[in-house]
Amino acid sequence: MSKLAPAGAAVMLTGGAGYIGAQTARALEMAGWRPVIFDNLSFGRREMVRWGEFVQGDVRDVDAVREALKRYEVVAVLHLAGLKSVGLSVARPDLYYDHNVAGTGSLLSAMRDCCVNRLVLSSSAAVYGVSAGGAADGPFDEDAPKSPSSPYGHTKLATEWMISAHCQAFGASAIALRFFNAAGADADGLTGDIRRDNTHLIPRLIDAALGQGEPITLFGDDYDTPDGSCIRDYIHIGDLARAHVAALSAPAIPGAFEALNVGTGVGHSVFDVIDVAERVLGRRPDFTIGPRRPGDPPRLVADASRIRGALGWAPKESTLDMIVETEFNWRRSEMFRRLALPPR
Ligand code: UDP
């Protein structure tokens, strides 16, 4: 068993110029690591690279990854690069398999060539799928059945399997962090999600309250939940970033692969989120009740006990108030206005 120590050691973040990557780079640097951001800038922005070195490159380009690993003497990789829109994955599964699965294959091959045997994957609760949750189900753990309901979820599960096999065959060690609903922005307003046409609930509520977006539709109030709306486990990106740092610092057993949920274990309904938004923003966002959105599970809440035991990690910033407040400050900041991507 070996343990990596920061002391300025270089850690590559694929996709490090994106929403979660930028926040994670900040957390890494604060913990004493040297972040090396490897990003093709298709969704990330150069201006989001504020901590560490930057290399523009694509994970599917094995030579470019190999060169960066060697040049910076990288000791471990945090793999955040990939496509993440469930809807687009249905329309273009080819892109999702190419970026997420083939991209990971290329990264693993470069890591093997360069004797880098430590990996943390940003995975997703999408690996569980609709059938894993249910109104009557409690929070579910890492061993819950996997039946992803989208090509996006399939590619995340395939990636986990690929990494697990790589670890067993070549003596590497890896942790997959299965995010629940990533939300919020950096507490100091330095990073956040730069998608202007964000389809997620919290940014949409804030845009509606700021008078910048369409009034929102609440997708279904007839679920078998206490108030009829869907329940989710919202996790602040500061907590997600710390989970990556904790995973990197955990003792590594050659050949071992472990998947860990990253959530709070507490569910909030859509109506709960609207109430908090009203309290934090001082006005109630306009919304109308619409039909259910296809593919939405009624209840998606983590059993987050395993990560506490494995990494000593627990959420610190993931209150709904904190999430709404930081997202609100971010979306009206000068930085967001400058960087926000136009609708695609
Ligand atoms: N939601 C909604 N209206 C919106 C966006 C989302 O009612 O405009 C609901 C959605 O049905 C889900 C919850 O809010 O129950 C969280 O959705 P989001 O897209 O933020 O995350 P997801 O859980 O789909 O990854």
Side-chain angles (χ1 to χ4, degrees):
M1 202 180 315
S2 68
K3 202 167 183 302
L4 288 176
V11 176
M12 179 188 276
L13 284 90
T14 70
Y19 175 41
I20 294 162
Q23 183 78 74
T24 303
R26 183 177 192 199
L28 280 176
E29 196 169 274
M30 283 170 70
W33 301 95
R34 181 158 70 108
V36 176
I37 312 304
F38 187 90
D39 197 301
N40 66 5
L41 298 184
S42 65
F43 287 94
R45 295 290 291 269
R46 182 68 183 83
E47 294 89 334
M48 296 283 277
V49 181
R50 309 177 66 167
W51 301 277
E53 318 274 353
F54 176 66
V55 180
Q56 183 165 358
D58 192 302
V59 283
R60 294 165 298 170
D61 179 350
V62 68
D63 292 333
V65 179
R66 216 186 274 125
E67 197 192 312
L69 291 173
K70 281 191 193 140
R71 178 158 28 116
Y72 293 97
E73 298 179 5
V74 168
V75 298
V77 175
L78 304 188
H79 183 31
L80 297 103
L83 302 181
K84 59 178 184 179
S85 158
V86 169
L88 186 60
S89 79
V90 176
R92 292 297 307 269
D94 55 324
L95 294 179
Y96 277 70
Y97 277 88
D98 184 28
H99 284 261
N100 296 0
V101 180
T104 302
S106 149
L107 172 68
L108 291 176
S109 155
M111 287 176 65
R112 196 176 154 216
D113 291 346
C114 298
C115 302
V116 178
N117 53 21
R118 197 68 187 277
L119 178 69
V120 179
L121 170 73
S122 296
S123 189
S124 168
V127 300
Y128 297 117
V130 175
S131 64
D137 296 343
F140 55 96
D141 67 19
E142 288 80 354
D143 301 326
K146 314 294 180 299
S147 60
S149 53
S150 68
Y152 167 69
H154 290 138
T155 63
K156 282 295 174 188
L157 191 54
T159 302
E160 287 192 8
W161 286 340
M162 183 192 280
I163 292 172
S164 171
H166 172 91
C167 289
Q168 278 177 38
F170 307 119
S173 72
I175 293 178
L177 298 175
R178 293 182 182 150
F179 305 167
F180 281 67
N181 283 58
D186 179 68
D188 299 319
L190 300 177
T191 67
D193 196 325
I194 55 173
R195 283 171 296 173
R196 199 178 287 284
D197 61 342
N198 202 313
T199 58
H200 290 302
L201 177 64
I202 292 170
R204 295 219 57 201
L205 282 173
I206 288 168
D207 284 351
L210 288 170
Q212 287 171 358
E214 302 288 308
I216 81 156
T217 304
L218 189 156
F219 299 135
D221 67 348
D222 57 350
Y223 285 95
D224 187 10
T225 57
D227 65 18
S229 67
C230 287
I231 293 175
R232 294 288 180 275
D233 185 339
Y234 295 93
I235 178 94
H236 187 271
I237 58 160
D239 282 331
L240 280 181
R242 284 189 310 102
H244 285 86
V245 177
L248 190 62
S249 310
I253 302 164
F257 169 84
E258 191 171 21
L260 298 169
N261 288 339
V262 194
T264 64
V266 178
H268 298 284
S269 72
V270 180
F271 285 113
D272 291 339
V273 179
I274 292 173
D275 289 344
V276 171
E278 178 178 6
R279 193 173 69 241
V280 172
L281 309 178
R283 73 200 95 159
R284 194 158 180 84
D286 282 342
F287 69 93
T288 51
I289 309 282
R292 294 181 179 194
R293 186 170 64 175
D296 266 345
R299 191 171 193 286
L300 202 53
V301 178
D303 174 335
S305 48
R306 195 172 294 179
I307 189 170
R308 288 174 197 250
L311 304 182
W313 173 95
K316 285 185 183 163
E317 300 174 80
S318 296
T319 62
L320 273 187
D321 283 67
M322 171 80 172
I323 287 171
V324 171
E325 195 179 315
T326 54
E327 186 66 44
F328 177 63
N329 290 338
W330 170 248
R331 286 184 90 76
R332 60 178 185 165
S333 69
E334 175 53 33
M335 182 86 164
F336 175 77
R337 266 194 290 277
R338 205 151 44 82
L339 297 184
L341 294 168
R344 289 192 181 225

